[in-house]
Structures are given as C-alpha cells and as structure tokens.
Amino acid sequence: MSTVKAALRAAKAAIDSQNYDEAVTQAEKVLADDPQNYHGNVFLGLAREKQQKHDASATAYRAATTIKPNDPLAWQGLISLYEKQGGRSVDGYKEAAVRLAEVYAEVDDKHKCQSVIDRYLLYARDNGTTRQYKDALEVTLPTSSIYETLEGRLPHPSHTYTRIAEIIETEEKERTNREIGARRTRLGAKVSQVTTEVKREVLGKSTLEDIYQNIIDWTNDDEVRRQYEEKLLRHAYDTLTTLPAEQKQLKRSRVEEVARGMVILKHPYPLAWHIVLEWKDAESMIEWDVGVLRDYVELFPEDGLAMVLQGFLESEASPFPASPDSPKADEEEADGVKKVPLSADDRLLLMTDGLQQSPKSALAHRLVADYYLFLEEYESAVETCGVAKKLVQSEAQKTGLRLQNNVDAVNIILATSLVYYQAPKNHPEARKLFEALLEREPTAAPALIGQGLILEEQEDYGGAIDILTRAVDRDPSNVKVKAEAAWCRALNGHRARGLEELERCLPNIDLSQPRAHDLKAQTLYRIGQCQWELDPSVKARKDRKGPYANFLAALQANINFAPAYTSLGIYYADYAKDRKRARKCFQKAFELSASEVEAAERLARAFADQAEWDLVDIVAQRVVASGKVRPAPGSKKKGFSWPFAALGVVELNKQEYAKSIVSFQAALRISPDDYHSWVGLGESYHNSGRYVAATRAFQQAARLENQVEGVKEGESWFAKYMLANVKRELGDYDEAVQDYQEVLGIRPGEFGVEIALLQTLVDGAWHSIETGFFGKAAGQAATAIDVALRVCETRSDAFNLWKAVGDACSIFSFVPGRSGSIPSSQIRQTLQIQGIGDEDAVLKDVDGVGADTLGQDSDQSLDTITTCLYAAILAHKRGIQASSSDHHAQAVAWYNLGWTEYRAHVCFSQADQSQSTRRYRSSKYLKASVQCFKAAIELEARNSEFWNALGVVTTTISPKIAQHSFVRSLHLNDKNARVWTNLGALYLLHKDHQLANDAFTRAQSTDPDCAPAWLGQGLLADLLGDQGEARSLFTHAFEIGDSSLLLAKQRYAISTFDELIGSPLGLKSDPADLVQPLLALQQLHTLTPHDQTSSYLLALYLERVGSYVSSIDILSSLHATLEEEYDVTESATSLARFASVNATLARVRLATGEYDEAVENAAIALSLTSEYIEGFEATPRLKLRHSARITSGLAYYHLDNLDEALQQLKAALEDPSSLPTSSSDSSTEPEIIRLIAQISFSKGTKTQQSSAKDRLFDVVERHPKHIENILLICAIALLERDWEGWDACREDLEALTTDGDGVDASTSRRILALNLAATAATAAQDPSSTESLIRNHITTTIMLHPHHPDGWTHLASLPEPSPSSSTTSDPSNTAAQMALLNTLRKVPPHGSVEAEELARAFWGTGVVGDGLRAVGIAPWLRGELVG
C-alpha cells in the first residue's frame, strides 16, 4: 500500500516538474498494483494529455470515471482534453459535460453546474455541426436531468425550442432540396414523383411537430403560440399528403384535431378553416355549421371561398335562415352609411369572382354549381360540377378520406343539370350518375326525381310515373314531385286525371319557399296545356277564360316563364290571328329559353319568308346549341331536323357549300325521309362540284316524292330540275335534256328551266363536235333554235338566251357538211323578234351586220352558213344590249361577240370567192373582232381570257400587240396552257424557233393533255426537217385532241401518208394501220368539205384500203370542182391539181373495172402534163405521167387492146421516173418489164414473147434480187419445157431460198409450187425418184421456213412412208398438227390467214373435233371438205 502511495506522490511530483514520461511510469506502476486506483488513472490521463496522446489520455480518464462516477476530477480532465481537440469529440464533450453538471447538481453547486453547461453550449456552437449544436441545446430543455437544478438560470424553454425548430427547419429544407436535385436526374424520374418521395422520407422522420407542440405548450406569447400552431398544422398537413394511404388515418386525426381547435378559437388561419370546411363529408349543405360558415366569411372577407359563401348564404338557394346580422334595406351603420343587401346580379358576380380566386376549393365549386342549378344556368352548372368532382377526388386522394357524400352531392347537381342541358343529348350520362347513386341508396329522392325527369324528356311517361310515384312515397310533402308526376300522367294520355292532380297541387305551393313562384307558373301553364288538349275545338281554344287565362296567370306568377309565351304565341298566331303579338311572344319565349323549339321554328320560318337569313342563322344556331334537336340513344322522342335544314339554307345563300353539306347531312341523320333536306343536300353538292354525290341526293329526293307527306304537288319539279343540272355538269347532256323537258311538262313556261334546256342543248352540241358526232351536233343546235324561238315569244331580254342563240348558230359553221339541217326560217323568226335595244348601234359601221341584214340578204339567196354567221353576230349583239346593267355580263357578251366575228372572218377567208372580195369581207370582221375584245378588256382588264383572245385576233395584224396581249394574259394566269401555245404559234409564224419551242414546252409542262401544244412542236420539228419527231408529235396531238382540232387531223394524216409512201413496205402495208388516219380524214372532210388537200388525201387513203367507190366519189367531186375553178382562174395550181386528180381517178377506176373511164382520165392527165406547168415541179410531174401510162397500159390490156397496152408500158419504161434517182430509191423498171412479159406470154405473138423474155433475162442480170422476175422466168421455163433454163433458174431459187432475204410466206409458197410442178413434169422420165424429190422439196421448205404452214400442209398430204420405217407415230398426222399450229399462229391480228385456209388446216388433222371446227369456221366449204 505504501508503494502505491509513493508511486502516486512520485507521479504527481513528475507532473508538477513537467516530467511527463516519469509521470506515466509512476502512474502505470500504481495501476499495475491497483487497477482500480482512481488517482492513478487521473495522473495517467493527465500525463498522456501532456504528451499529446489524446486517445490514451481519454481511455485513462474514462477508466477513472467508472471508478468514481461522482468525482468531478476525471470529468474535468475529459472536458479539458476534448476542448484541446477542437471539433473532433463534440459528442464526447456532451457526455462529460452533462455528467459533470449532474455531479455539481447533486451537491447543489449551481454556479459550477451552469458554468459547465455554458462552456459546453459555447463549445458546441463553435466547433460542432448543426445537429451537435441542436443536441447541446436540448441539454437545457425541461427534459434534461439538470433542468431542475438550473431552472431560472437557463433560457426559457420556448426560446430554446424555437431555436431548435429553426435549426431543424433549415436542415430539413436543405436535405429536401439536395435529394430532389440528385434524384431528378435519374433515368425515367418524374419531378412530382421524386418530390413526393423525398418529402415522405424527410417529413416521416421529422421531429418538428413535437418541437412545435412544446413551443406551443411553453410559450407565454400568444402570437408565438398562434404562429407555431399554424406551423404545426401545416407540417402535419404536408406530412399527411405524402404518406401512403394505409398510414394516413392516424395523421389525419391529428390534423383534424389541430384544425378544429383553431377554428373553435376562431384563429384566422385559412388552412385550418379549409380543412374543417372542405373535409366535411355531407350530403346536404344543411349539415354544415352555419356559425362556422359565417365566422369564416367574417374572418376572411377577401378570400375566394368566403366570397362564395357570402353570396350563397344570402341567396334564395341557401338552406339556412337569414342571419340576424344581415343588412336590411333601412339599416344604417354607425357612421351613417347604409348597408344595402346584395342584389341577385351582384351576388352572382361576387360568387363568380370568388370562384376564380379559389380554383382549388371543392366546396366553392359545389356551392357555385348548386347556385347555377338554382338559377337554371345548366351549362355553367355542368362545367362547374366537372371541376368540383376533380377537386373532391383530388382532396380524397391527398387526405385518405372517402368523401362519398360530397361526391354524391356533386353528382346529383351534375346529373340534374344534364337532364336539362342540351337535352336529350346528355341524358345517358345523367342516367348513369343517378343509377350509380341509387345502387348505394335505393330511396334517394333526388336521384328518383332525376330519373323521372329523364324519362319524361324521353317521352317514356309510364316509367317516369313509376319512379316519381316512388319519390312521392318517400317524401309526400314534396309538391314539386307531385306536380311532375301529375304532368307525366297527363302526357301519358290521362289528361283529365293529370289536370285534377295539378289543380290539387296548386293550393299546396308554399310561396314563401325559394322558387315557389316558378313552380306555380309551371303548374298553371301545365293546367292550361291540359285544358288546351282536352278540348281542341276552336271555340274552346279561343275562350279567354280557358287555357289562355292560365297561360297569363303563369306569366303573372313568373314573368320569365318561356313555355307560357310559346303557348300564347300559338294562340295569337292560329286563333286570334294577331301576327304581331304572336311574333313578340315567340321572340320572348326564345329569348328566355333556347329549348322552346316550337317558338324558334315559327320565328325561323317568319324570318325566312322575309329573307332575313342572318336572323334565321342566329335562331337555328341557338336551337342547335341547346342540345334539344338530337334525341338521346334509345329515346322514344323524335329529334328536330329543321334547325340543321335552316342552317343549310342559310349557308347555301352565303355560298358556303361545305358547311351547308354538313348541315343538311345532320338534318338527314335525324329525319332520313326529309324531302327538302335531300334537295338542299343535292344542291349543295352540285354547287361545290361534287356531281356524283349530288346525283344520288336528287335521286333519293325523287324516290321520296310520292312516299313522304309534306311534299306539295308541283314542288317536286325543282329536284328534277337540279338533277338535270347535275347531269349537265357531268356531261350527260341527252339525259339532262330529257329531264328538263319533263320539268317543263310539270312547269310549262318556267323561264329558268327553258334557259337551262337551251344552254344544255348548246353545250351538248359543242360536246358532240369535240367527240366527232357532227350530225348529232347539228340536230342539237337546231333543237336549241326551236327552244329559243319559244322562249323569245315570252321574254327576250335575257343575256343567256341570246348567248345560247349565238352559240347555236355558230355551231352550224363548224359542221358545214350538215348545212341541210340548218333551220333558216326559225333563225330568222327568232331574230325578227323585237329586242330590248338597237343592235344596229353595235359595230354595224364596222362589220355591216345589223337588224335588217338577214332580211336584205334573204332575197339574194344567201347560203345557209352565211345566214348562221350573220345570225350568230346579231344574237351576240343583242346579248350586249341585254347585259347593259351587269358589268361582268357585258364584258362576257363583248368577248362572245368578238369570237363570233373572228369565226366569220375565218369562214369567209376560206369561202369559195375571189381573192379581193375575200380579203375585204374577212378584214372587216377581223377588225370588228379586235374592237370587241378591246371593249371586253376595258370592262374587265384582269381577265386573262380576254387578253388571250385579243392576242389571237391580232396575230396577223400586229405581232407586237399580239405578243403584248399573250404576255399580259400569262401575267394574270401563267397556268393557261392554251395561252402558252398561242404565244408559241406567234413565235413560230415569225420564225423564232427557239422561243416557239420554249413556249410549247412550257404549255406541255403546264398541261400535258394540251393537244395544240404538241401540234405546235410537231410543226416546229417539221420545219426543222425532223420528220420522224414531227410524225410522232402529230400522232400524239391527234390521239389526245378532240374532234374539233382540224390541223392535228390533217398533219397526222399527211405525216402518216408520207411515211407510208416512203417506206419500202408501203405497197404491202396492212390496211388496219390506215384506219386511224382514215377516220381522221373523214372527220376533217366532214368539217371542211371544201378543203381540196384533205379531200384528195382522203381519196388516196380510201384507195389504199380498197374502198374504191368512195374514193371515186370524192375524186369525181374534186374533178368537177377543179375543172370549174380552172375555167374561172386558169391558175397553174388548179391545172396541176386537176392533172393529179385525173391520174388518181384513172388508177382507182382501173381497180373497179371501169377501163374506158380509166383510159380517158389517164389520157387527160398525160395531155395536161405533156408540157411544163408553172409551180409543178419536174419530179412529181414525171411520176404522175409514169403512173398514168402504167394505168393506161393495164386498162388497154383489160380492153384487149394489146398493142396499145404494150405501147403505153414501153413508154412508161422509157420514162426517167422508172429508173432510180439514188441508191436508196427503188426502180419500177423490173415491175414494168414483168408486166410486159406477162401480157406478151398471155396474149402476145412469138416475137413479142421472145422480146419479153430477153428483157426479163436482162433485168434479172441487173436486178438479181428481184424475186418476182426470177419466178416468172422459172414459170416460163416450165411452160416451154426448157429444162436447161429450169435448172439455171432452180439454182437461183435455191440461192434465194437459202439466203432468205425478201422471201415471205407467199413467195415461199410459190417457190414450193414451182418445184412440185417441175417434179411432176419430170415424173415420166424417172418415176422412182419422184416421191423422194417431192418429199425433199417439202422438207427443205419446212427447214427453211418452219413457221410457215404451207410446207407442213403439203407434207401431211403425202402418202404414208414405207412400213420399214422405224417410227411409231403417224408422220402425216404430226405434220397436219404442225400445219394447224402454224396456221393458228397466223390468225389475225398476228397474220393474214383467211377462214378457208384455217378450215382446211383443221380438216387436215383427221380428228373429228377439228373437222367440226373446220365446218363451223367455213361452212361454205363443207361440200369440198366432205367430198
């Protein structure tokens, strides 16, 4: 023991002498002997502390505190050690300081205890974290062990709690922001979701609510208490909104408790009041504490919900009694200012303003919606209820409350509003809401009443009576439900009983209740309606003491009751015959309620009768917006189609056809059998260009004429008329004309229909010209003149009438070949009818055409075409007079006259008259045409068509003006391909090929189907020498152009003929290839019968296709015309044409066997061309003579004048034209020599035959490829039995056959026939080899031409081979099958096999079926085949 004490003294001495190592040594000795030695641990801790070994020091000090916990020395050492370490051991410092303070507290040393705590607080504030400082502050709270000792010496707990609260608030805010910022950047994170999760974590661990409560409990400051009560409620509410649903209940109870306490104390914190008010789950407003509501209004007068509550509580819709403090009209405040109660308008304005200021308040929206329902503002009620439902659901989700009563209350308001709003469209939704409520509460009176009202609106009165009766049983005192049930009973047919029940309900109405006057007015009106229907006699309805009195009484009860005004309007309109009062009543009814459909319809009809379409539009739009027009799905109630039909008519008048289509379609969905809506729909389709749809609509209207009531007799003609218009637009002119005539049968003399018929006939005539039906065009134009004559007798001042007459007369100038169809007398009668002006004043001094022109020329036997042109000009002049009051129509009239003058210029330019006369007559019409187009441009300068027309007529007069006009037209409309084409033609006429090509190309790109553009480019290619390109362009222009494009037909036919005569196969061309140009020329000949070039070319084509008779007719006409022309003019051109016609006519007559006439025509041609003709080039002249000589020679041959025939052929042989002029030209010399030889060997002498034979050999030497001459020599050799010559010829034949050049099927057939004939002729010399030679010839032919059927046919006809043959099949049958197969391949259009040849091929197979086919194909060969 002494050793321990000595060591302790030594340790203390060493510490005092600052020998800390020695002190440690001595202290350890002490502890070695006595580990529980308190002072040894203290000295060791102190020594280690001085050595800066803090951990060892702290261990020693803690060991000492465990030995003597109540000794302050070790705790003081620890505190000293921690203070030296700074912020490393703040938590350890807290423990040491609290224990040391407790030690001092035990000995009641308050001063030292406070000193320790103060040092600790200062140390924690300076060195610790926020949490550590908060922990330090908690030491001074009442919950601390030293608080009792230091009470009065420490800060007040409320202050400490406030400081702790501030620290925690800052800490939680920083953590929340930090976590949200970190988590929101995660993939797929949503800010709202992240915010909720972070707040749930932070608020769930927060101790702020306890701190706030302690502040509230300890503070003596009421302001602080209120402040922290608000913070407590807010924190608890925020925590509640973030908790999961299953954890909300406990927290919600706490929130409600705090909020209710604040409300009881009337603490003006809005959140508390909102919680108490908004969380109230009540079915009716009567369940709220009206005192609380009024306190809220008083505390928060500027709050949105307070404004809504104030307006609602002062309204008639409030279930609460009036407040005793509410202002009266005669009350005054202390300062002398009157308190005026709110008017209805001010109240509504106050509530709507409050609603805008409280967009998140479900209660505010519920109250406003209820008030809107009370005011019958159903649309606003529906909109507000929709928002209220969302807010209630949102509040329920946030708080965990079900709020089912609130949801049901909003749904009842919504469903009741939907019963009336746009009824019956919203009835399904309303019924669904009522049914959902009845499932939870089967006896809910509002739902039962609502169901009954829906059934009443849908005219299911039996069901409505049942439901309303149940509602009455539940609430017998409800007069409104009783009255509604009585009315349903009356509507269900029991009017007497319903009237009785309504009359019983009337005295029970308590007029002190809200809306009682409305109920009384409704009941009186319904009593009047029952009386009106019970006795429908005129006397009863006129009785002013009957229904009329009840209607007036209803208005006295409620001046704004709309149905009563409607009934009074009907009374005044139908019985009192006071239209002015009736209209006022209808207007008042419709102003008050858009649901008064009957009043609206009568108003709309009245406005329509006065053409006040804007008012009709307003009425119809409002009725449609009311929702009354369409019945609900499954409803028995019929819809109203007239509002949509009225809108359609209004939009038709405004030319808004797309909208009118929609309106009429809507009307027809409601009333599919509405005749007038179908007509309106068809007219809308027609005006918008949808003609197919219009046709269907009018056809449906026509089907309904006799099926639907309401179509008055004589009204159906308009549908037929519009259907005819549609057919006219679609190009069905014949059907349109027929329909117009049917309409005129119903409505004779209807001017508009007659004009439409007239215009359709003219349009049909133009269409017929375009499609090539020229006779039909003339017939339609003649019919149009007849119709015009009939119209003129009744009315002659219409512009369209004279335009149609002018066009009809002009049509005849386009079909001069149908001049016999021109009704000259009718035309004269039409134009002799007195017009509305003086047509002599219109350009008569220029064109010389006036009112007396036809009368003067009639005695001079004017030709019919001239009559038509004069008549057309006069008609268009009358059109100018008729359109004097219409600026646009007069411009069009000048334009029409301009084209007619230009047409006269063109026709007279082409007429058969002297050059001087033609120039004079054509120039004056051209001048008139220019003036007409200028007048049109002056009236309407921005019309591109007028400028284009001016450019056309000035092309030959002034190219500069023409170019300017075309450019101006393109400036106004650069998409007009015709104008580009005309500009290109102008450039082409003036040889500017590049600009012409650019213009034509632009026209083609603008409109690829513009035939004149392709024609112009073809003319340009022809001028540049590219004949192939020109021919291709002419062909394309002809194919896409219409029949009125004459130049395209002419150039196409000419280019095709040039190709035909220039082709090596021209003489052997397929006639089918000539059909298209032949048809083009025939149409051209019909339109321009005096065009000699086209007529001559047509005759040449007819000759090519073998139509010789038609060709002779045309050539004979040309012959007479040219002969007459030459006699008059003696021009070289006429002479050359006359010679050409004679040569061609001789050739065609040779083909028809008219040999004498052929000789005569050929002689005339030779005589006329014997000398040089001016303008007739040498080469064509020589070719003409060459053709005439050959024709003459052949004609003489057929006339058995052999010498003359040979003389003409030899003369032809001596012509220079018989020889080739270049290496590419063919020569006729071999053909002439062949003809001479054939004639000589058929009828000539031996000398002539010998000479012909020598010529043949000579020409074959010079033309070794001429197969025909070689075949002729072979045939001569066979006839003369000249076998040496035959052998030589056979070698040539074999060479030609092997080469195959120019050997076609016909030539191959003749070569085989010659070989077979030669073999047969030599059979007597070597009979054994005859069969093999024949077979060899046939097989050789098959090998060289396996696709020709002739070889196979001959092979099939040979006898069967010898039995020694190893073949197993029948070779003759195989050959016959191959012959048939090749023959079928040559059937047109693939070849030129005739029916006889095909029949023989079928017969040759020996098959029964093929034999029947052969007889069927050529029955006239039956005898030959069977025999």
Side-chain angles (χ1 to χ4, degrees), residues 946-969:
F946 295 174
W947 285 102
N948 174 54
L950 181 61
V952 171
V953 299
T954 57
T955 297
T956 57
I957 301 174
S958 175
K960 291 183 178 180
I961 294 177
Q963 183 184 25
H964 170 75
S965 300
F966 290 138
V967 172
R968 181 63 178 169
S969 177

Side-chain angles (χ1 to χ4, degrees), residues 1142-1417:
N1142 274 285
T1144 305
L1145 189 56
R1147 191 170 59 250
V1148 179
R1149 281 176 168 168
L1150 173 65
T1152 59
E1154 301 176 17
Y1155 304 120
D1156 291 328
E1157 292 81 355
V1159 169
E1160 180 182 353
N1161 289 124
I1164 294 173
L1166 290 170
S1167 174
L1168 293 175
T1169 57
S1170 59
E1171 297 178 358
Y1172 170 74
I1173 302 176
E1174 183 182 356
F1176 202 179
E1177 296 181 1
T1179 301
R1181 185 177 65 85
L1182 291 175
K1183 286 185 176 181
L1184 185 148
R1185 291 181 60 80
H1186 187 65
S1187 172
R1189 289 190 183 278
I1190 294 175
T1191 303
S1192 180
L1194 292 174
Y1196 277 122
Y1197 167 72
H1198 287 289
L1199 292 172
D1200 292 331
N1201 192 343
L1202 187 60
D1203 294 335
E1204 193 64 32
L1206 291 174
Q1207 181 182 349
Q1208 291 294 335
L1209 291 173
K1210 288 176 182 179
L1213 189 61
E1214 294 170 359
D1215 284 339
S1217 59
S1218 65
L1219 302 174
T1221 58
S1222 66
S1223 58
S1224 61
D1225 291 341
S1226 60
S1227 173
T1228 59
E1229 180 192 13
E1231 296 294 336
I1232 296 174
I1233 291 175
R1234 184 168 63 85
L1235 288 174
I1236 293 173
Q1238 288 175 336
I1239 293 173
S1240 298
F1241 274 90
S1242 63
K1243 297 180 181 180
T1245 63
K1246 292 292 185 181
T1247 304
Q1248 290 173 336
Q1249 292 177 0
S1250 176
S1251 175
K1253 189 174 181 181
D1254 292 339
R1255 285 177 180 272
L1256 277 175
F1257 280 114
D1258 180 60
V1259 79
V1260 167
E1261 288 179 2
R1262 287 184 287 109
H1263 301 280
K1265 298 291 186 180
H1266 200 282
I1267 298 176
E1268 297 296 332
N1269 283 338
I1270 296 174
L1271 291 175
L1272 182 57
I1273 292 173
C1274 292
I1276 293 172
L1278 282 177
L1279 289 173
E1280 295 179 347
R1281 296 296 192 267
D1282 182 5
W1283 304 115
E1284 293 180 1
W1286 165 254
D1287 291 338
C1289 290
R1290 187 178 60 186
E1291 293 176 1
D1292 292 337
L1293 289 175
E1294 289 176 354
L1296 289 173
T1297 304
T1298 305
D1299 185 30
D1301 187 16
V1303 179
D1304 55 9
S1306 176
T1307 304
S1308 175
R1309 187 184 300 115
R1310 285 185 287 166
I1311 291 174
L1312 179 58
L1314 287 173
N1315 283 322
L1316 295 178
T1319 303
T1322 60
Q1325 300 176 7
D1326 189 5
S1328 60
S1329 61
T1330 300
E1331 183 179 347
S1332 62
L1333 287 173
I1334 292 173
R1335 190 175 295 276
N1336 287 337
H1337 288 311
I1338 293 172
T1339 54
T1340 300
T1341 302
I1342 291 173
M1343 290 297 294
L1344 293 174
H1345 306 286
H1347 56 288
H1348 291 167
D1350 302 294
W1352 295 103
T1353 302
H1354 282 92
L1355 183 60
S1357 65
L1358 293 178
E1360 297 181 5
S1362 61
S1364 60
S1365 176
S1366 61
T1367 182
T1368 58
S1369 61
D1370 185 354
S1372 63
N1373 188 52
T1374 303
Q1377 293 291 342
M1378 289 302 297
L1380 175 60
L1381 178 62
N1382 286 325
T1383 304
L1384 289 172
R1385 289 174 179 170
K1386 301 294 183 180
V1387 171
H1390 306 292
S1392 57
V1393 172
E1394 299 293 339
E1396 292 87 347
E1397 187 177 353
L1398 181 60
R1400 290 189 179 94
F1402 271 112
W1403 186 268
T1405 62
V1407 179
V1408 176
D1410 289 343
L1412 294 174
R1413 291 187 183 92
V1415 175
I1417 292 171

Side-chain angles (χ1 to χ4, degrees), residues 96-212:
V98 170
R99 288 296 298 130
L100 181 60
E102 289 175 349
V103 170
Y104 289 141
E106 288 178 0
V107 297
D108 199 24
D109 191 346
K110 297 181 179 179
H111 176 74
K112 289 184 178 180
C113 181
Q114 182 179 359
S115 176
V116 171
I117 294 301
D118 290 343
R119 286 175 59 193
Y120 167 58
L121 290 174
L122 183 63
Y123 175 80
R125 187 193 67 184
D126 295 339
N127 297 286
T129 63
T130 303
R131 179 189 62 77
Q132 290 170 337
Y133 181 56
K134 181 195 70 173
D135 292 342
L137 290 174
E138 289 177 350
V139 174
T140 65
L141 292 175
T143 56
S144 173
S145 58
I146 63 166
Y147 179 79
E148 185 177 355
T149 302
L150 299 179
E151 185 175 5
R153 292 174 174 265
L154 295 176
H156 193 274
S158 63
H159 297 160
T160 305
Y161 278 120
T162 301
R163 183 61 184 148
I164 293 173
E166 292 173 353
I167 293 173
I168 296 176
E169 286 172 355
T170 303
E171 189 178 56
E172 289 184 355
K173 182 177 181 181
E174 290 177 353
R175 180 186 173 190
T176 300
N177 294 336
R178 183 174 61 254
E179 290 296 324
I180 291 174
R183 297 185 189 183
R184 67 183 297 179
T185 59
R186 295 175 183 175
L187 187 65
K190 295 180 180 179
V191 177
S192 59
Q193 183 179 356
V194 168
T195 302
T196 302
E197 291 176 355
V198 171
K199 284 186 175 181
R200 182 183 300 134
E201 293 176 6
V202 174
L203 296 176
K205 299 177 181 179
S206 176
T207 59
L208 271 177
E209 292 183 29
D210 295 334
I211 302 297
Y212 291 152

